[in-house]
Amino acid sequence: MSAGTPKSLPSSGQKSIQEICHPLSAEESILSPSPDLGNTISSTGEKDLSLPNGNAVDTSSPASSSSLLNRLQLDDDLDGETRDLFVTVDDPKKHVSTMETYITYRVSTKTTRTEFDLPEYSVRRRYQDFDWLRSKLEDSQPTHLIPPLPEKFVMKGVVDRFSEEFVETRRKALDKFLKRVADHPVLSFNEHFNVFLSAKDLNKRQGLALLSKMGESVKYVTGGYKLRARPIEFAAMGEYLDIFTQKLGTIDRIAQRIIKEQSEYLVELREYSPVYSSWASSEEELQEPLDGVAACMANCCSGLEELTEEMSEDFLPVLREYILYVESMKNVLKKRDQVQAEYETKLEAVAFREDRKTPVPTDVEKCQDRVECFNADLKADWDRWQNNKRQDFRQLLTGMADKNIQYYEKCLAAWESLIPLLQDKQEARADTN
Amino acid sequence: MMADTGSEDVAVIGNTDQTPSELQNNIKNTMVEKGGTLLKGLEISVAEAEKRTGKNAVSIQETYTVYLIETRAVDNVSEVANPTPDSLWRRYSEFEIFRNYLLVTYPFVVVPPLPEKRAEFVWHKLSADNMDPDFVERRRVGLENFLLRVASHPVLSNDKIFYSFLTQFFVLCLLFYSRLKALNATFRVKNPDKRFAEMKHYGDELQSVISQLLRVRARVADRLYGVYKVHGNYGRVFSEWSAIEKEMGDGLQSAGHHMDAYAASIDDILEEEEHYADQLKEYLFYTEALRAVCRKHELCQFELEMAAQDLISKKQQREELATGTVRTFSLKGMTSKLFGQETPEQRETKLKTLETQIEEGEEMVKERTAECDEFVKNAWEDIERFREQKDRDLKEALISYAIMQISMCKKGIQVWNNAKECFSKM
């Protein structure tokens, strides 16, 4: 965090539209222009927005700065090598105190960004801290899609919160969460994110009031306005999300069912080995082959056990994460609707005024401002989300295929190694005959 | 009572192509190679099965299945089979009667078993209904297998009734019911041949272990079926999902088809596994025949011991009568003591009767001993033959089971690789 007292937010008093800065520029940290494309947005109007090549940017209308943002975001996506922020979550440790027992994770950061005082950080955080970060992000960046966290509550009797598998699954999800934030061209510059990564102690009660201007304004939008119609593109998003979440739910149920059936199959399969062994003990010629079959069966059992475990630990959590993601996205869409509704209502009220000479009231203009910003942010984030979703699912489903292939290969190897054992004896007998 | 072994007719194990699995052929080829006295000149097969309805012995209408026994004479010189077969229809119960005839006539032979009377060790998909076409088909194969086993047996293959059973229409009556019953009785024997006792014990163990195996298999098949079929649901949901996707759509859709194929593949896999189960069942039922031979030995031994016991007691009586000492307690002895001694003439007659009885008894013991020895010799020969056959057949069965598993794994790998390719194109 840069030195300097937190500035108070610029008031939303009487200012012409030209003077209203892009909401994002109200970020507390002094965001000095950095050489990479990721950020050239300066703070509170003290610096001009400038493109990397030094040209000033026309910030007279939010629309244009949003489109700038779009361009920047796209460029960011294309050029992976300009990444200047790397975050990892690892090394879970159990802490036991008189009050409670909990797990902390090490959060390591490597960065060249000047928003950070140091190039490297290593701090310990617990789930609560991640939760804090996420709600801060939601509040301060309401127009953006915030990645989900793994589920907060676990039924104490059912799941062992301190088991290796649970902790590992959670760690992976927390790691993914931070990586997604770090990769986001806007969220990664969020002040709270910075604090989260760098502060020794995360004293949440300080109540860093670091809401963006947008955040402030959206926060106070009441739900009292009725939206006439969602614009087509957002309606399409809403529909997509509805169907998508349905399909994800179905896939989750199918995967769970498969795991259940496989577990039951495993229980029965385990019965084979002892029976074959017992048979072997009453045979002479057939003893070795039967023992071989018993060993084979045991191998197949352990392979199946592995497969079921991996599907439980790797596949299901990611699926569930996406379901949570979609839920939070639907909420963002709703917020957008509210912002638009407010604007439309206020605009209508103005239209009915008979006195046409008074200029359009500022607050209506501000509403329009907000709507357009929100839409722009959301659209950009949507495209980015679609892209990430595609990659994530490609990886997830390929992983599922791989696990199954591994299982069958293990079984195949076991059975193939049995054949020479069985056939040699056959040939040996034929020779001696 | 042995059937005459003078038949010149011989039957060859025909390589019929109705058999569904390689292994069936393997076993048949093995029978051709290893079976002792083979019948050449006759190809045997159970070619078809048909439903019939008719009135039974108590005039009740019933539906039953008949099986077509086809035989083709093979030209001894050119070894080419006559193209037009002789054929005759028989139902399962006739096979049962014929087998009982074999059991009674050749008590020292481990008689090949028939396929099961009722479907046992079923898993949910397999019908327990005797009229079910799959059951009928597997029974047809089992009956053919039975005939081929009899035809390749060094002793059974020469039986004249066997040849008639295959070729001439007649109805076998169960004349030897009492003998059959006797086969199932058990006897307490003082000096059983240790080898037979061990064999009987082995038969019990084999029966127990194969039963367990078949039960486990049925439960495993049930579960495996469930696992594969649930994957089919992926097919549907991927298809629905692909409808709302742009770039991901094609990959998802094709992956879905592969999941459908995966789900469908389990039917063939489990059908093939039925053959392995049938092979195990054959040996499960063979244990019955094995135990029957051991029991017959016990019966022989028992009768010998009875005769020997009787001889000993008669000799003792003679001794007592001759010396006047009562060594053993007998009611007659007691009563004669109570009611007065016998006259010397009476004693003389008694002694004479005893002497004849003793002579006869000694003959009986000799006969029975000879019978027992003959039985032990023949039975043990057949048991050895059976043991070798069992080791061969079960090893083949294990090999083909392993091959089946390998094939199943390879299919699984292929399907998932196909799906993976589709996923990677998403």
Side-chain angles (χ1 to χ4, degrees):
Chain A
M1 183 145 77
S2 311
T5 48
K7 293 210 164 114
S8 59
L9 291 169
S11 74
S12 48
Q14 303 285 339
K15 269 198 186 156
S16 72
I17 205 110
Q18 285 82 357
E19 286 171 326
I20 295 174
C21 303
H22 191 280
L24 289 166
S25 65
E27 288 270 333
E28 259 317 306
S29 55
I30 315 287
L31 304 171
S32 44
S34 42
D36 64 298
L37 300 165
N39 166 54
T40 53
I41 301 154
S42 58
S43 64
T44 54
E46 283 167 30
K47 289 199 172 114
D48 287 331
L49 284 175
S50 48
L51 288 171
N53 60 12
N55 293 341
V57 168
D58 179 14
T59 51
S60 57
S61 76
S64 67
S65 48
S66 298
S67 61
L68 166 70
L69 196 58
N70 282 350
R71 272 182 275 141
L72 294 174
Q73 281 180 330
L74 270 148
D75 289 343
D76 201 31
D77 283 346
L78 292 172
D79 193 357
E81 275 153 30
T82 57
R83 263 240 237 114
D84 58 352
L85 178 65
F86 299 89
V87 183
T88 322
V89 176
D90 61 5
D91 190 33
K93 274 202 170 67
K94 198 174 187 176
H95 294 257
V96 184
S97 71
T98 44
M99 297 289 284
E100 54 177 347
T101 308
Y102 58 92
I103 307 265
T104 62
Y105 305 84
R106 176 176 64 187
V107 177
S108 317
T109 311
K110 282 195 174 63
T111 180
T112 55
R113 289 190 188 177
T114 51
E115 293 77 22
F116 292 88
D117 291 336
L118 300 172
E120 280 185 37
Y121 291 94
S122 180
V123 296
R124 295 215 72 98
R125 298 280 182 255
R126 55 187 288 191
Y127 182 91
Q128 271 180 24
D129 303 332
F130 286 83
D131 199 33
W132 169 87
L133 173 62
R134 190 173 190 280
S135 46
K136 283 293 176 210
L137 285 175
E138 263 189 333
D139 289 341
S140 59
Q141 311 281 40
T143 62
H144 288 285
L145 302 174
I146 318 290
L149 277 180
E151 275 152 22
K152 187 176 204 164
F153 297 109
V154 279
M155 297 211 283
K156 288 222 171 129
V158 176
V159 180
D160 178 8
R161 291 178 300 137
F162 303 108
S163 76
E164 257 185 64
E165 292 87 20
F166 178 80
V167 170
E168 177 56 17
T169 306
R170 209 173 227 204
R171 181 204 68 75
K172 278 192 226 162
L174 294 174
D175 182 78
K176 200 161 212 186
F177 168 72
L178 286 187
K179 284 187 158 77
R180 279 173 172 158
V181 175
D183 283 345
H184 194 287
V186 175
L187 295 179
S188 60
F189 288 95
N190 184 285
E191 184 58 27
H192 299 91
F193 186 51
N194 190 314
V195 167
F196 179 89
L197 292 178
S198 54
K200 261 280 169 249
D201 284 306
L202 204 56
N203 191 348
K204 298 157 240 160
R205 264 164 294 212
Q206 263 174 21
L208 304 158
L210 304 171
L211 281 181
S212 67
K213 183 176 169 71
M214 191 62 183
E216 275 288 340
S217 53
V218 170
K219 192 167 156 191
Y220 294 118
V221 166
T222 51
Y225 303 99
K226 196 176 167 214
L227 180 70
R228 229 176 292 139
R230 239 185 207 176
I232 296 179
E233 54 206 328
F234 298 107
M237 281 184 202
E239 268 172 45
Y240 174 87
L241 288 177
D242 282 336
I243 300 179
F244 184 55
T245 208
Q246 230 184 60
K247 298 309 155 198
L248 284 183
T250 309
I251 294 175
D252 182 81
R253 275 191 299 280
I254 296 173
Q256 274 187 67
R257 176 86 188 274
I258 289 177
I259 288 171
K260 177 167 168 281
E261 296 281 342
Q262 274 175 345
S263 301
E264 289 173 352
Y265 170 55
L266 182 62
V267 166
E268 303 296 348
L269 201 64
R270 283 216 165 99
E271 300 286 318
Y272 265 141
S273 222
V275 177
Y276 275 110
S277 286
S278 155
W279 185 2
S281 63
S282 64
E283 295 283 347
E284 288 164 19
E285 270 291 311
L286 292 176
Q287 187 173 42
E288 240 184 85
L290 288 170
D291 276 330
V293 174
C296 221
M297 291 290 187
N299 274 337
C300 292
C301 283
S302 75
L304 184 61
E305 200 176 14
E306 253 179 70
L307 173 64
T308 319
E309 261 171 34
E310 285 177 358
M311 286 299 285
S312 251
E313 283 162 25
D314 297 337
F315 188 80
L316 288 179
V318 175
L319 212 54
R320 293 196 181 136
E321 216 176 81
Y322 257 90
I323 295 177
L324 292 172
Y325 215 157
V326 168
E327 280 312 307
S328 76
M329 284 166 74
K330 285 203 234 181
N331 286 334
V332 175
L333 272 176
K334 283 194 198 130
K335 266 193 237 154
R336 190 218 70 86
D337 288 347
Q338 283 168 10
V339 170
Q340 181 176 330
E342 190 192 1
Y343 168 63
E344 283 176 355
T345 316
K346 289 198 172 149
L347 189 64
E348 257 181 47
V350 164
F352 283 137
R353 283 228 309 243
E354 282 157 10
D355 182 359
R356 296 282 171 178
K357 286 189 194 140
T358 34
V360 178
T362 345
D363 69 324
V364 176
E365 282 177 349
K366 270 192 286 180
C367 275
Q368 182 188 26
D369 191 7
R370 281 202 285 264
V371 172
E372 286 173 358
C373 266
F374 210 133
N375 289 352
D377 289 345
L378 198 51
K379 262 190 272 195
D381 267 14
W382 176 262
D383 290 335
R384 151 182 228 96
W385 179 82
Q386 281 284 9
N387 222 15
N388 285 341
K389 173 209 76 181
R390 188 174 165 198
Q391 277 176 36
D392 284 342
F393 276 94
R394 190 188 305 149
Q395 196 181 38
L396 184 71
L397 292 171
T398 326
M400 171 171 90
D402 272 331
K403 295 192 213 324
N404 277 278
I405 292 169
Q406 263 169 46
Y407 160 68
Y408 277 115
E409 282 184 341
K410 183 168 182 181
C411 292
L412 180 66
W415 286 107
E416 278 183 334
S417 68
L418 187 62
I419 298 273
L421 175 74
L422 296 174
Q423 281 179 334
D424 272 346
K425 296 218 91 192
Q426 197 84 326
E427 280 154 21
R429 285 189 85 251
D431 288 340
T432 55
N433 282 353
Chain B
M1 176 177 111
M2 309 295 176
D4 58 350
T5 52
S7 168
E8 253 112 41
D9 293 330
V10 280
V12 81
I13 315 308
N15 189 5
T16 61
D17 49 40
Q18 282 96 351
T19 52
S21 75
E22 271 292 296
L23 180 66
Q24 202 67 4
N25 285 341
N26 281 349
I27 281 189
K28 285 211 222 102
N29 294 337
T30 317
M31 283 196 237
V32 172
E33 287 158 27
K34 308 273 185 185
T37 318
L38 293 178
L39 306 182
K40 280 205 176 77
L42 200 70
E43 258 183 30
I44 306 172
S45 71
V46 176
E48 282 165 45
E50 250 181 42
K51 258 201 253 202
R52 297 275 165 87
T53 31
K55 287 224 162 83
N56 67 4
V58 286
S59 292
I60 293 174
Q61 193 84 330
E62 59 169 5
T63 313
Y64 56 90
T65 314
V66 284
Y67 299 87
L68 185 66
I69 302 177
E70 278 188 357
T71 46
R72 283 179 179 82
V74 176
D75 185 278
N76 277 345
V77 176
S78 63
E79 291 198 358
V80 172
N82 184 358
T84 25
D86 290 324
S87 58
L88 115 116
W89 296 95
R90 289 207 187 275
R91 55 188 292 192
Y92 184 84
S93 49
E94 294 177 67
F95 281 82
E96 278 184 302
I97 294 173
F98 171 64
R99 184 169 184 270
N100 286 335
Y101 156 76
L102 290 177
L103 282 171
V104 170
T105 317
Y106 304 94
F108 59 93
V109 168
V110 181
V111 177
L114 286 173
E116 55 192 354
K117 202 166 166 74
R118 266 164 292 275
E120 277 175 63
F121 307 109
V122 291
W123 60 284
H124 90 280
K125 204 197 158 211
L126 216 55
S127 175
D129 171 22
N130 281 12
M131 287 281 146
D132 176 70
D134 284 328
F135 181 81
V136 168
E137 170 58 18
R138 294 206 337 277
R139 182 176 266 192
R140 182 193 67 72
V141 171
L143 291 174
E144 185 177 275
N145 192 53
F146 166 74
L147 293 178
L148 294 172
R149 289 249 191 237
V150 173
S152 68
H153 192 281
V155 173
L156 301 178
S157 56
N158 297 313
D159 186 283
K160 281 217 145 74
I161 302 268
F162 176 47
Y163 186 70
S164 305
F165 182 80
L166 295 173
T167 54
Q168 290 163 14
F169 176 73
F170 66 95
V171 179
L172 260 178
C173 308
L174 196 55
L175 296 168
F176 10 80
Y177 191 67
S178 55
R179 280 190 203 251
L180 203 57
K181 271 289 181 189
L183 282 176
N184 287 329
T186 45
F187 302 89
R188 196 151 297 160
V189 161
K190 285 200 198 121
N191 288 319
D193 186 315
K194 201 163 140 222
R195 296 176 298 171
F196 283 90
E198 278 171 13
M199 238 327 127
K200 192 159 130 196
H201 180 66
Y202 170 76
D204 290 336
E205 296 217 334
L206 190 63
Q207 182 189 41
S208 159
V209 100
I210 292 185
S211 302
Q212 280 179 57
L213 214 51
L214 287 169
R215 271 195 296 274
V216 173
R217 192 207 84 91
R219 286 199 298 266
V220 168
D222 227 345
R223 292 294 171 201
L224 190 60
Y225 185 78
V227 171
Y228 270 75
K229 287 300 179 189
V230 177
H231 278 85
N233 293 333
Y234 274 144
R236 189 175 48 221
V237 77
F238 284 169
S239 176
E240 292 167 0
W241 180 9
S242 70
I244 56 169
E245 295 291 345
K246 295 181 212 110
E247 301 110 343
M248 283 168 67
D250 288 336
L252 272 176
Q253 181 89 305
S254 0
H257 292 321
H258 291 301
M259 289 292 99
D260 286 331
Y262 182 68
S265 68
I266 190 64
D267 296 301
D268 284 343
I269 289 169
L270 288 176
E271 179 60 42
E272 256 198 88
E273 233 190 48
E274 267 332 297
H275 294 302
Y276 178 65
D278 284 340
Q279 287 168 282
L280 289 180
K281 279 182 195 169
E282 192 193 15
Y283 275 91
L284 177 66
F285 304 143
Y286 250 128
T287 61
E288 275 297 328
L290 189 62
R291 270 207 298 279
V293 172
C294 296
R295 268 200 302 268
K296 177 66 184 179
H297 158 72
E298 280 172 8
L299 172 61
C300 270
Q301 186 73 8
F302 181 75
E303 289 183 338
L304 171 61
E305 283 174 9
M306 288 286 101
Q309 185 65 27
D310 193 55
L311 184 63
I312 288 171
S313 114
K314 292 249 161 30
K315 282 189 176 163
Q316 259 172 0
Q317 279 179 41
R318 178 181 61 184
E319 198 189 313
E320 281 165 22
L321 217 52
T323 60
T325 53
V326 181
R327 210 160 321 135
T328 56
F329 175 82
S330 77
L331 195 59
K332 233 186 178 172
M334 284 311 295
T335 47
S336 66
K337 271 233 148 31
L338 288 170
F339 296 112
Q341 292 283 4
E342 308 161 303
T343 62
E345 292 81 23
Q346 284 173 320
R347 260 227 324 236
E348 217 30 63
T349 359
K350 265 214 190 100
L351 264 169
K352 270 223 171 75
T353 345
L354 268 173
E355 285 293 345
T356 356
Q357 283 178 340
I358 286 169
E359 255 179 61
E360 287 171 352
E362 273 170 348
E363 267 308 307
M364 178 71 88
V365 169
K366 234 190 257 170
E367 253 181 59
R368 293 254 167 103
T369 313
E371 268 175 31
C372 259
D373 288 343
E374 175 81 12
F375 181 86
V376 165
K377 174 171 152 286
N378 288 331
W380 199 252
E381 208 180 295
D382 201 60
I383 285 178
E384 285 291 341
R385 182 207 59 82
F386 167 74
R387 223 207 311 237
E388 274 178 37
Q389 176 200 293
K390 167 208 64 138
D391 284 341
R392 254 190 338 260
D393 288 346
L394 289 175
K395 196 171 290 176
E396 277 297 330
L398 289 175
I399 291 175
S400 78
Y401 182 69
I403 291 175
M404 257 188 268
Q405 297 301 309
I406 287 171
S407 155
M408 177 172 115
C409 290
K410 284 191 174 159
K411 277 190 215 161
I413 292 173
Q414 188 179 49
V415 163
W416 281 106
N417 263 323
N418 290 342
K420 182 177 170 181
E421 232 188 271
C422 297
F423 290 140
S424 64
K425 294 203 188 115
M426 265 170 38

